[in-house]
Amino acid sequence: MDHYDSQQTNDYMQPEEDWDRDLLLDPAWEKQQRKTFTAWCNSHLRKAGTQIENIEEDFRDGLKLMLLLEVISGERLAKPERGKMRVHKISNVNKALDFIASKGVKLVSIGAEEIVDGNVKMTLGMIWTIILRFAIQDISVEETSAKEGLLLWCQRKTAPYKNVNIQNFHISWKDGLGFCALIHRHRPELIDYGKLRKDDPLTNLNTAFDVAEKYLDIPKMLDAEDIVGTARPDEKAIMTYVSSFYHAFSGAQKAETAANRICKVLAVNQENEQLMEDYEKLASDLLEWIRRTIPWLENRVPENTMHAMQQKLEDFRDYRRLHKPPKVQEKCQLEINFNTLQTKLRLSNRPAFMPSEGRMVSDINNAWGCLEQAEKGYEEWLLNEIRRLERLDHLAEKFRQKASIHEAWTDGKEAMLRQKDYETATLSEIKALLKKHEAFESDLAAHQDRVEQIAAIAQELNELDYYDSPSVNARCQKICDQWDNLGALTQKRREALERTEKLLETIDQLYLEYAKRAAPFNNWMEGAMEDLQDTFIVHTIEEIQGLTTAHEQFKATLPDADKERLAILGIHNEVSKIVQTYHVNMAGSNPYTTITPQEINGKWDHVRQLVPRRDQALTEEHARQQHNERLRKQFGAQANVIGPWIQTKMEEIGRISIEMHGTLEDQLSHLRQYEKSIVNYKPKIDQLEGDHQLIQEALIFDNKHTNYTMEHIRVGWEQLLTTIARTINEVENQILTRDAKGISQEQMNEFRASFNHFDRKKTGMMDTDDFRACLISMGYSMGEAEFARIMSIVDPNRLGVVTFQAFIDFMSRETADTDTADQVMASFKILAGDKNYITVDELRRELPPDQAEYCIARMAPYAGPDGVPGALDYMSFSTALYGESDL
């Protein structure tokens, strides 16, 4: 068995390996299996001349079991042991079981000892496994096998029978109709299925079992009472019984197939003989038809009239449409029959068919070729004859059509060419008439070909002796004479149009020249009127002087402008002269412009009137700008004195605030004297405000005599007052800080010197980098966190700068912190003792609260000794309080 078969066996047998042996404890089922399996085994053992009576006893020595396997498999097993001892029996049974296993069947929990001991359950299980492997597994129906294949075979065979619905191998067979249907389907003469009743299962089952045993050589494996007497017949017994039916009928079906094959061969031979006869008759008829048709197609006698020739053509078309298609079909069918016959003979290993002489397919094809050749020649002759007759009719009709079209086109053309509409036309209309005339000439030239065609057709009709040639010739001559006359009139009208166009083009050029010169001159006059009437706004005397200069330059151009005006009027007079001399009918005015000579003269007079008015307005504005200039100079002189004075005072106050000369009281006295002098300067500021008011009333917005505006002066004055007041307040606060902190004058001077040194921008404030450098110079060593803490003290608003007052406050507090650190270091040495470190808890317990929290705050950034979390040794503690520079 190949791998696929073994796998299928294993897949199907796997559920049966764990078959429920407890079910065999049911006496009814055990009885059914005993009876069925015993009958099945005997149906094979009798072929070897033996049988069994008791299934669990007769297989105990293994001899009949091995014999059974040899019968059903057709193979020889190993030589059995003939001894009577238990070991010999076990050896024989093992040989049988090994053979079963070699067929891809797994035997679970079935051992030789159980079979030798006569175990009923194991023996029945073993026989069922053999039945599955050799009687059921090889059943295959529509890609299903084994149990499913057997069930599908039963369903297919019993499908046409009423009251039969095979869904399983137990209750579906209980009424016996399924067995009867299988027998009737294959051997209907054995059972009268119509007399069976579903409500009489005993009769149905007995009928089926008896007929199967008597006529089908299927032993009776069950009694009807065994099936009817149980609620659910044993599935394995039913499957075994049904498989016997399958194998019995499958053998009969093979014999039937062989008989059918013989009948089919005989039917094919008869069919082939009929095809030979049909071919001979069809070939004979087709050849006879071809012999009759070819003479008709070779008849070439022409007809004299178109109608007669068209009738011949219609007869030929009827032949093509009605008579030939059936013959084409017969020829095609003849070839198909011949090819089919030859194929069948070849498949049946019979000699090829040879038609009688002159009726071969090649003979028919040759005759058909002659037919088609005659047909082609006849069709060409018909068409040529019809074309010859059609040619005359066509030429005559073509002549009439072309002559009619030409006569319709020429109708009214002579009257159109004699018109004198150009005498009253404008230049654009003349050009349009010329374009129209050119189009007519093009059309006339295009019709030249039609006239020539008409003459050529008339000539061909004469050559072919057309019956109505005289009338054709007369009409053709009339058309040619009219054509010559149209050519002469066309040339005369072109000359008149070109002469009129040249005259109007001269006038048009004068109109265009007039328009080209009148338009800019008119624009110049309109611009001049606009400028002369334009209201001007100036703020300086230079601006009014520029306007006056421009006005004088404009007046200098007036003589040349007057010459241009006279030249433009001269062009208009030239047009009038040409119109009068040549009696030109001018329809309308100048097409290029709407400016008339009257408009030009009117605007020129208006410009001449506006010039003196402009002179007077410029003179008055010049006087006003001179007064404004005096106001500017007066304000500038005062502002140029007050502005520098304010700046100087600001610088002096700044120097006083950072100098270290004298005591803070001396600086305060000096600053108050400055404050008094500043207040006394207020009247000059008020005077400047008055001058500024006069400038605003005169609408003066700029002043080249000074860079100071009143706004600048006001802001500077306010800053000066604010600065002196703030500086005085800072000195007063320094005095308070000094007295409160007990800072000596020398310390204050030292602080001031350090602050001034690091105030590199000299603004009275240190930025962040300057303050860091100052602290380092004073002995501070700190990381970013410590410096950020200090900046939060001296710059709480985060402006990025440190004032001198904040610097003093910080330095005074740092002095006090140093004292506190010294006290804490003394306490540390006492508390630490020999262990040389101290914990946070010890600090809070032993030190006063303020000292303890001070230490804890400073200790936070530093790490304690290894292994002691939350503690500092002496060195780390000292670094936290004093910084590395003090160690």
Side-chain angles (χ1 to χ4, degrees):
M1 179 184 295
D2 58 22
H3 174 72
Y4 176 77
D5 293 335
S6 298
Q7 187 63 39
Q8 279 211 334
T9 301
N10 293 340
D11 292 344
Y12 174 69
M13 295 296 293
Q14 188 64 34
E16 299 300 336
E17 292 170 1
D18 301 327
W19 58 286
D20 192 354
R21 295 177 177 82
D22 293 336
L23 293 177
L24 293 177
L25 298 177
D26 185 336
W29 284 17
E30 182 178 342
K31 178 182 178 183
Q32 292 177 24
Q33 288 189 16
R34 279 173 176 271
K35 186 177 295 186
T36 304
F37 291 176
T38 299
W40 184 84
C41 291
N42 286 332
S43 68
H44 293 286
L45 288 173
R46 68 185 179 184
K47 298 175 184 177
T50 186
Q51 63 179 10
I52 62 173
E53 298 295 335
N54 190 318
I55 195 167
E56 70 270 19
E57 291 294 333
D58 294 344
F59 285 140
R60 289 179 63 183
D61 59 3
L63 294 176
K64 289 188 177 181
L65 178 60
M66 294 178 68
L67 182 60
L68 174 65
L69 291 173
E70 287 182 348
V71 171
I72 61 177
S73 67
E75 300 179 19
R76 296 290 295 177
L77 273 67
K79 185 177 181 181
E81 300 288 344
R82 294 298 179 181
K84 301 296 183 177
M85 298 176 63
R86 177 178 174 84
V87 65
H88 297 141
K89 296 178 180 180
I90 292 175
S91 176
N92 290 335
V93 174
N94 274 329
K95 291 178 181 179
L97 296 179
D98 291 342
F99 179 78
I100 295 172
S102 70
K103 298 303 180 180
V105 180
K106 293 182 180 180
L107 297 171
V108 180
S109 301
I110 299 177
E113 290 80 0
E114 286 85 350
I115 304 301
V116 172
D117 291 339
N119 188 312
V120 178
K121 291 193 297 181
M122 294 303 172
T123 303
L124 292 176
M126 178 189 66
I127 297 302
W128 173 241
T129 301
I130 294 172
I131 293 172
L132 281 177
R133 172 60 185 85
F134 294 100
I136 297 177
Q137 177 184 315
D138 294 336
I139 296 175
S140 177
V141 179
E142 296 184 9
E143 299 183 358
T144 61
S145 60
K147 179 181 177 180
E148 290 76 11
L150 181 60
L151 181 62
L152 181 60
W153 178 79
C154 295
Q155 291 171 342
R156 292 287 185 271
K157 295 299 182 180
T158 61
Y161 294 88
K162 64 179 181 177
N163 297 327
V164 178
N165 184 16
I166 304 301
Q167 298 297 328
N168 49 57
F169 287 107
H170 37 81
I171 59 175
S172 294
W173 302 87
K174 194 173 180 181
D175 57 7
L177 291 177
F179 289 104
C180 293
L182 286 177
I183 297 172
H184 186 269
R185 180 65 181 269
H186 295 88
R187 298 288 298 275
E189 75 279 3
L190 298 180
I191 292 179
D192 187 358
Y193 188 83
K195 294 182 178 181
L196 300 177
R197 300 198 316 272
K198 186 175 181 62
D199 57 356
D200 190 4
L202 284 175
T203 301
N204 298 338
L205 289 168
N206 284 323
T207 300
F209 295 163
D210 293 341
V211 169
E213 184 176 22
K214 183 177 181 180
Y215 297 102
L216 304 178
D217 197 23
I218 299 175
K220 191 172 184 180
M221 299 182 184
L222 287 173
D223 292 327
E225 292 77 10
D226 295 336
I227 298 176
V228 176
T230 57
R232 184 176 183 270
D234 181 64
E235 184 179 46
K236 298 178 180 62
I238 298 297
M239 282 182 64
T240 303
Y241 214 154
V242 173
S243 68
S244 298
F245 280 85
Y246 171 82
H247 290 293
F249 290 134
S250 61
Q253 186 173 0
K254 292 178 181 178
E256 182 181 353
T257 301
N260 290 338
R261 187 178 295 112
I262 294 173
C263 293
K264 185 176 181 180
V265 171
L266 294 175
V268 168
N269 289 338
Q270 292 176 351
E271 182 180 356
N272 291 341
E273 292 176 0
Q274 184 62 43
L275 287 175
M276 294 177 188
E277 295 177 4
D278 293 344
Y279 175 84
E280 291 287 345
K281 183 177 186 307
L282 193 58
S284 177
D285 294 344
L286 185 59
L287 289 171
E288 178 62 25
W289 177 81
I290 292 173
R291 283 192 290 271
R292 291 198 311 270
T293 305
I294 289 177
W296 173 69
L297 293 173
E298 291 177 345
N299 183 10
R300 300 289 192 271
V301 178
E303 300 291 341
N304 295 327
T305 63
M306 175 62 71
H307 177 72
M309 288 304 300
Q310 286 179 342
Q311 184 60 47
K312 278 184 174 289
L313 180 61
E314 188 62 29
D315 293 342
F316 179 72
R317 287 172 179 169
D318 288 342
Y319 155 78
R320 279 274 186 85
R321 186 175 59 254
L322 301 177
H323 302 292
K324 185 180 179 182
K327 299 304 178 180
V328 172
Q329 185 64 31
E330 289 179 11
K331 179 178 178 295
C332 179
Q333 188 62 45
L334 187 70
E335 293 176 355
I336 291 172
N337 291 348
F338 182 80
N339 293 332
T340 302
L341 177 60
Q342 299 291 42
T343 300
K344 288 184 176 183
L345 292 173
R346 184 172 61 257
L347 293 176
S348 301
N349 294 322
R350 297 288 302 280
F353 169 63
M354 290 296 295
S356 57
E357 186 178 357
R359 296 178 183 176
M360 296 288 293
V361 172
S362 58
D363 297 332
I364 295 173
N365 287 335
N366 292 335
W368 190 266
C370 294
L371 175 71
E372 290 187 336
Q373 188 66 32
E375 181 181 308
K376 180 180 178 182
Y378 187 67
E379 183 180 21
E380 291 176 355
W381 175 76
L382 282 175
L383 294 177
N384 289 333
E385 284 298 311
I386 290 174
R387 289 191 193 100
R388 185 181 66 82
L389 295 175
E390 282 180 341
R391 180 65 178 166
L392 287 174
D393 291 344
H394 172 71
L395 287 174
E397 181 61 27
K398 188 175 182 180
F399 176 83
R400 287 190 292 271
Q401 288 181 356
K402 287 185 176 293
S404 298
I405 292 172
H406 178 78
E407 290 166 353
W409 179 82
T410 57
D411 186 30
K413 293 294 188 293
E414 292 182 1
M416 182 269 292
L417 292 172
R418 290 190 176 93
Q419 287 181 348
K420 295 185 178 182
D421 48 354
Y422 51 82
E423 293 181 350
T424 59
T426 62
L427 179 60
S428 60
E429 291 172 344
I430 285 295
K431 290 183 178 296
L433 289 174
L434 269 171
K435 293 292 184 184
K436 184 178 179 180
H437 190 71
E438 289 174 359
F440 173 76
E441 288 177 334
S442 298
D443 196 13
L444 187 69
H447 278 75
Q448 175 70 32
D449 184 57
R450 178 179 288 116
V451 174
E452 292 174 358
Q453 289 176 5
I454 291 172
I457 293 170
Q459 179 65 26
E460 188 173 357
L461 287 172
N462 286 325
E463 291 174 358
L464 295 175
D465 295 329
Y466 183 59
Y467 73 96
D468 200 16
S469 294
S471 62
V472 169
N473 293 335
R475 193 173 184 181
C476 180
Q477 186 61 43
K478 182 179 179 182
I479 289 174
C480 292
D481 295 342
Q482 188 184 31
W483 184 254
D484 294 338
N485 189 37
L486 285 175
L489 292 175
T490 299
Q491 182 61 28
K492 183 177 179 181
R493 180 173 175 80
R494 166 170 279 280
E495 293 172 356
L497 287 172
E498 289 176 347
R499 183 173 57 255
T500 305
E501 180 190 26
K502 185 175 181 180
L503 183 61
L504 291 179
E505 279 181 346
T506 302
I507 296 174
D508 187 72
Q509 288 295 329
L510 292 172
Y511 272 153
L512 182 60
E513 180 68 18
Y514 174 88
K516 287 181 178 180
R517 299 178 68 172
F521 185 72
N522 182 66
N523 291 337
W524 177 85
M525 288 192 296
E526 290 179 348
M529 289 188 292
E530 183 178 351
D531 292 340
L532 292 171
Q533 297 177 87
D534 186 24
T535 57
F536 48 83
I537 299 176
V538 294
H539 301 288
T540 64
I541 192 167
E542 288 81 2
E543 291 179 356
I544 191 62
Q545 287 174 350
L547 289 175
T548 302
T549 301
H551 183 62
E552 292 300 324
Q553 292 174 351
F554 169 74
K555 289 194 293 184
T557 63
L558 290 177
D560 292 336
D562 191 38
K563 291 180 182 178
E564 178 66 14
R565 179 182 66 87
L566 294 175
I568 292 170
L569 295 178
I571 294 172
H572 180 75
N573 294 333
E574 181 68 19
V575 172
S576 300
K577 181 178 179 181
I578 292 175
V579 169
Q580 293 174 359
T581 301
Y582 294 100
H583 306 286
V584 178
N585 185 9
M586 297 300 297
S589 58
N590 191 331
Y592 299 108
T593 181
T594 59
I595 302 172
T596 63
Q598 291 78 14
E599 286 184 61
I600 292 175
N601 289 330
K603 290 180 180 179
W604 176 255
D605 294 340
H606 188 51
V607 169
R608 299 297 298 271
Q609 294 172 2
L610 290 174
V611 170
R613 298 179 190 173
R614 185 72 170 183
D615 290 337
Q616 182 179 358
L618 290 173
T619 301
E620 293 174 354
E621 181 62 25
H622 189 270
R624 190 174 74 84
Q625 289 301 324
Q626 287 179 334
H627 175 261
N628 290 348
E629 185 66 15
R630 286 193 295 272
L631 291 177
R632 289 190 187 93
K633 290 180 179 180
Q634 182 178 341
F635 177 85
Q638 296 185 64
N640 288 336
V641 174
I642 294 174
W645 182 85
I646 292 174
Q647 183 65 28
T648 301
K649 292 302 178 182
M650 290 285 289
E651 294 173 356
E652 290 176 354
I653 293 170
R655 285 196 300 272
I656 293 172
S657 64
I658 63 175
E659 286 177 352
M660 297 181 293
H661 302 299
T663 63
L664 292 175
E665 286 77 2
D666 293 338
Q667 293 180 16
L668 182 62
S669 175
H670 196 187
L671 288 170
R672 284 177 175 165
Q673 291 176 2
Y674 260 85
E675 184 181 24
K676 184 177 179 181
S677 66
I678 290 171
V679 172
N680 292 335
Y681 203 79
K682 182 67 167 58
K684 292 185 178 180
I685 300 297
D686 295 339
Q687 182 180 357
L688 189 64
E689 285 282 5
D691 293 343
H692 178 68
Q693 184 176 356
L694 293 175
I695 286 177
Q696 285 184 326
E697 291 174 354
L699 300 178
I700 298 172
F701 301 105
D702 57 353
N703 192 343
K704 68 180 180 179
H705 301 293
T706 181
N707 292 327
Y708 295 99
T709 64
M710 195 64 222
E711 184 63 26
H712 292 156
I713 299 297
R714 289 194 194 103
V715 171
W717 176 254
E718 292 172 358
Q719 288 180 348
L720 181 61
L721 294 177
T722 302
T723 301
I724 189 63
R726 184 178 66 250
T727 305
I728 291 172
N729 179 257
E730 289 178 355
V731 174
E732 289 175 345
N733 289 336
Q734 292 172 19
I735 293 172
L736 291 175
T737 302
R738 181 195 66 189
D739 295 342
K741 302 291 185 177
I743 302 173
S744 65
Q745 185 63 42
E746 289 76 12
Q747 288 177 315
M748 186 64 72
N749 290 340
E750 182 182 351
F751 292 157
R752 170 57 74 180
S754 297
F755 187 88
N756 289 345
H757 175 75
F758 287 97
D759 180 16
R760 289 179 292 183
K761 297 180 181 177
K762 304 305 178 185
T763 59
M765 294 178 288
M766 288 189 291
D767 59 21
T768 303
D769 294 336
D770 293 340
F771 182 57
R772 186 195 296 272
C774 180
L775 292 178
I776 293 172
S777 71
M778 296 176 70
Y780 283 85
S781 178
M782 62 255 155
E784 290 296 329
E786 178 64 14
F787 182 70
R789 182 186 68 80
I790 295 173
M791 283 300 298
S792 67
I793 297 172
V794 299
D795 184 19
N797 295 326
R798 297 185 179 182
L799 301 177
V801 295
V802 180
T803 64
F804 181 65
Q805 183 63 42
F807 180 72
I808 293 173
D809 292 342
F810 171 72
M811 295 306 300
S812 62
R813 187 172 67 176
E814 284 297 303
T815 302
D817 287 349
T818 303
D819 295 338
T820 302
D822 292 337
Q823 297 173 15
V824 173
M825 287 303 298
S827 301
F828 176 84
K829 293 177 180 180
I830 296 171
L831 294 175
D834 295 337
K835 66 180 184 292
N836 197 30
Y837 66 85
I838 187 170
T839 65
V840 173
D841 294 337
E842 289 174 340
L843 283 174
R844 288 197 173 114
R845 185 173 64 249
E846 301 296 340
L847 295 182
D850 59 338
Q851 292 184 358
E853 295 305 322
Y854 175 82
C855 290
I856 294 169
R858 300 296 289 268
M859 287 162 60
Y862 297 92
D866 296 340
V868 184
L872 287 179
D873 56 20
Y874 178 79
M875 291 300 295
S876 299
F877 191 78
S878 176
T879 301
L881 296 183
Y882 295 110
E884 295 178 359
S885 61
D886 294 338
L887 297 177

